[in-house]
Amino acid sequence: MKKDSKIVRFCVSLPENLLNKLDEKTLKRGYTSRSEFVRDMIRELIVEEKWEKGEEVIGVLVIIYDHHKHGLTEKMLEVQHSEFAHILCTTHVHLDHDSCLETIIIKGKPEEIETTAIKIGGLSGVKFAKLVKTAYI
Ligand code: NI
């Protein structure tokens, strides 16, 4: 939300059972108010729409891979250098003797980010890969 956006109140009509569901979800997800929960749901829809429309977005790829797999690190770096999506940052954690966890933050068009994620996730030795989709909102 931009700093200069003023808060506007509006009235919403809902069937009672739907309002009960809203309150349940609001509590369950740790929100202190319905308003904050509804604001976040709208932001989530905006992010989804940006991905669908092909606008510039951000993806966070989480991977876990076999540290001992020969040549895997080189292949992962090759993908990151050769794709059109822009790699903003990577974080590496040595999970245990055999496994490494990395987060790769990627900026670009949805298709470019997904291609990069698929290429990395599909490499032999990558045991887990999940792309979290987000965007500027
Ligand atoms: Ni490591």
Side-chain angles (χ1 to χ4, degrees):
M1 185 172 60
K2 287 176 186 161
K3 275 184 183 168
D4 58 351
S5 288
K6 69 172 185 186
I7 301 291
V8 180
R9 286 179 156 261
F10 70 104
C11 191
V12 178
S13 303
L14 287 177
E16 197 176 4
N17 63 338
L18 211 51
L19 180 63
N20 292 339
K21 285 279 177 204
L22 177 69
D23 286 343
E24 266 176 42
K25 301 272 181 211
T26 301
L27 274 177
K28 204 173 167 185
R29 295 183 185 202
Y31 288 97
T32 51
S33 72
R34 289 175 185 149
S35 295
E36 192 53 46
F37 182 47
V38 170
R39 284 194 282 267
D40 277 5
M41 280 198 296
I42 295 169
R43 290 184 189 114
E44 210 172 302
L45 289 175
I46 293 169
V47 167
E48 265 176 39
E49 203 175 85
K50 286 186 178 215
W51 275 81
E52 282 165 14
K53 281 185 177 173
E55 293 179 23
E56 188 174 75
V57 289
I58 306 277
V60 182
L61 178 63
V62 180
I63 55 168
I64 295 176
Y65 63 91
D66 181 356
H67 165 74
H68 301 292
K69 182 76 182 177
H70 182 72
L72 177 57
T73 310
E74 289 77 8
K75 282 179 192 159
M76 284 197 303
L77 289 175
E78 202 179 296
V79 172
Q80 291 181 47
H81 280 281
S82 64
E83 285 303 324
F84 293 111
H86 185 58
I87 309 294
L88 295 179
C89 158
T90 61
T91 307
H92 184 109
V93 178
H94 313 296
L95 279 185
D96 57 29
H97 182 69
D98 303 313
S99 299
C100 299
L101 179 149
E102 269 188 29
T103 58
I104 304 167
I105 303 177
I106 314 163
K107 181 169 106 176
K109 300 280 180 196
E111 203 183 295
E112 297 164 350
I113 293 174
E114 280 168 339
T115 302
T116 303
I118 288 167
K119 283 186 178 175
I120 293 172
L123 290 171
S124 175
V126 176
K127 300 187 276 188
F128 174 89
K130 190 171 178 89
L131 180 65
V132 175
K133 297 174 176 180
T134 188
Y136 310 94
I137 42 174

